[in-house]
């Protein structure tokens, strides 16, 4: 008997229908060239109408690897000694597409409201660069950001890692890796619909097979690009798939959100539950009727506005201590 998914929010269902011919389910590597072309043409005003001064920096990468490109966006007119919060952003795209410009609009919007610096990292993409390349690049960028925070007007003690989808999973992996290497300790982690579990066997992943923007087939494609034949097998490290972590203690406070009508729902709920079980702090939102990436798909929908307001409210509380 097939598993029926929960109903979609009506506003989101109307928006999704308009996009399904171009970005339907069933993504495979054969679709990757087109996805990369589409990701490459994203044009946006990184200054947010002059609110930010922007620069690109190339910083040392992992040992034996190329340098890592960081997009640094600092509030215009901020003094050199401002010591502002830093939002360290890891982009989405299934770890297969995108750049440090992808998805950065929302962190910039938060930063404009909160008077913060945004640093967005460009990591090597799969399948050409499988695990551990993406997370090691992101970690190298985080190390540089913590060590040079004052130089860019930031506070090394108030770095918040954030990302959406594959970028959310990468942000979660970063907090685990930094904890275990005794590296920079982020103040918090804001994980939007994060991709956490390579096993791809939850009820929600089966409910969404053949449906939505990111279904079970797309998810398997992404994890195989990262892990190859190791996907779903024993011994997958938590820095590749954070849901594999056996110890979620000692992590910074987390904000996690996910739609009720998406592949990642159950793994996100399970991850938040395990943070609580380990004595940690997590705020979890499951948006009823939300599909994957719903707030980008339909930014003016009521559910999208509510979700975005919840993220900013959490950041305010976190920064207020």
């Amino acid at each position: 008997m097939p598993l029926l998914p929960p109903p979609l929010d009506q506003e989101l269902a109307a928006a999704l229908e308009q996009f399904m011919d171009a970005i339907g389910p069933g993504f495979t590597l054969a679709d990757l060239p087109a996805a990369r072309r589409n990701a490459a043409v994203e044009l946006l005003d990184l200054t947010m109408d002059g609110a930010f001064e922007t620069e690109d920096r190339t910083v040392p990468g992992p040992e034996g690897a190329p340098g890592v490109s960081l997009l640094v966006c600092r509030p215009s007119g901020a003094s050199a000694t401002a010591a502002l919060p830093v939002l360290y952003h890891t982009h989405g795209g299934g770890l297969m597409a995108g750049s440090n410009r992808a998805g950065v609009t929302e962190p910039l919007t938060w930063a404009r409201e909160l008077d913060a610096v945004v640093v967005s990292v460009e990591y090597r993409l799969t399948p050409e660069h499988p695990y551990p390349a993406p997370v090691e690049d992101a970690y190298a960028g985080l190390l540089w950001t913590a060590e040079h925070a004052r130089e860019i007007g930031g506070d090394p003690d108030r770095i918040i890692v954030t990302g959406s989808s594959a970028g959310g999973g990468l942000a979660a992996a970063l907090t685990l890796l930094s904890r275990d290497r005794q590296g920079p300790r982020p103040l918090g982690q804001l994980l939007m619909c994060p991709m956490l579990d390579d096993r791809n066997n939850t009820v929600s992943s089966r409910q969404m097979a053949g449906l939505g923007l990111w279904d079970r087939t797309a998810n398997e494609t992404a994890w195989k690009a990262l892990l190859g034949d190791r996907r779903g097998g024993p011994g997958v490290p938590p820095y590749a798939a954070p849901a594999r972590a056996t110890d979620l203690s000692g992590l910074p406070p987390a904000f996690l959100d996910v739609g009720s009508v998406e592949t990642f729902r159950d793994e996100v709920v399970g991850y938040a539950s395990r943070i609580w079980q380990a004595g940690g702090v997590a705020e979890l939102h499951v948006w009823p009727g939300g599909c994957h990436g719903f707030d980008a798909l339909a930014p003016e929908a009521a559910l999208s506005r509510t979700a975005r307001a919840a993220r900013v409210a959490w950041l305010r509380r976190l920064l207020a201590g």
Side-chain angles (χ1 to χ4, degrees):
M1 181 177 178
L3 290 167
L4 297 177
L8 264 173
D9 175 271
Q10 290 185 358
E11 286 185 283
L12 302 181
L16 186 62
E17 188 174 354
Q18 298 176 23
F19 287 92
M20 287 309 293
D21 287 342
I23 50 174
F27 182 90
T28 68
L29 286 181
D31 302 307
L32 183 54
R36 286 180 172 172
R37 286 194 298 272
N38 292 338
V41 298
E42 183 175 354
L43 300 175
L44 60 146
D45 176 16
L46 295 173
T47 73
M48 302 287 279
D49 292 327
F52 294 94
E53 300 170 354
T54 68
E55 64 175 316
D56 289 285
R57 295 211 180 190
T58 299
V59 305
E63 184 175 356
V68 171
S69 176
L70 299 178
L71 169 68
V72 180
C73 303
R74 177 179 171 180
S76 298
S79 71
T81 58
L84 302 175
V86 179
L87 303 172
Y88 185 80
H89 174 251
T90 51
H91 69 81
L95 301 175
M96 298 176 287
S99 70
N100 55 20
R101 267 73 174 159
V104 76
T105 301
E106 187 164 9
L108 285 172
T109 301
W110 304 335
R112 186 168 56 185
E113 291 190 42
L114 301 170
D115 199 23
V117 177
V118 173
V119 178
S120 186
V121 61
E122 186 156 328
Y123 50 85
R124 286 170 290 169
L125 299 175
T126 66
E128 295 90 344
H129 304 284
Y131 175 82
V135 71
E136 290 290 357
D137 285 358
Y139 184 70
L142 179 63
L143 282 177
W144 184 93
T145 300
E147 292 168 359
H148 296 262
R150 302 289 187 191
E151 179 183 328
I152 59 173
D155 183 347
D157 296 321
R158 293 196 295 164
I159 298 173
I160 300 165
V161 297
T162 184
S164 177
S165 194
L170 201 53
L174 270 181
T175 65
L176 293 166
L177 188 61
S178 198
R179 177 199 65 183
D180 294 346
R181 289 183 178 174
Q182 298 183 329
R185 177 173 171 80
L187 181 66
Q189 50 180 326
L190 197 163
L191 314 177
M192 298 170 285
C193 55
M195 179 176 133
L196 301 168
D197 196 342
D198 65 295
R199 290 164 291 198
N200 201 22
N201 62 1
T202 62
V203 170
S204 60
S205 73
R206 296 194 296 273
Q207 281 180 312
M208 296 307 298
L211 300 172
L213 301 180
W214 191 259
D215 71 341
R216 196 177 188 196
T217 297
N219 204 32
E220 182 172 346
T221 298
W223 284 113
K224 281 189 173 179
L226 181 69
L227 294 168
D229 292 340
R230 298 172 67 189
R231 185 210 70 82
V236 170
Y239 318 123
R244 297 290 197 128
T246 58
D247 178 11
L248 295 182
S249 64
L251 297 175
F255 177 102
L256 305 96
D257 72 352
V258 69
S260 67
V261 195
E262 70 165 293
T263 298
F264 299 148
R265 182 195 67 218
D266 292 348
E267 62 198 66
V268 173
V269 171
Y271 198 74
S273 295
R274 291 176 55 224
I275 291 175
W276 295 323
Q277 291 163 9
V281 177
E283 179 172 323
L284 170 67
H285 294 264
V286 181
W287 301 111
C291 59
H292 188 67
F294 67 88
D295 54 309
L297 181 72
E300 296 306 315
L303 193 67
S304 301
R305 295 196 302 269
T306 300
R308 290 181 166 176
R311 295 164 191 160
V312 173
W314 180 83
L315 286 167
R316 287 190 186 279
R317 291 194 301 273
L318 181 71
L319 292 170

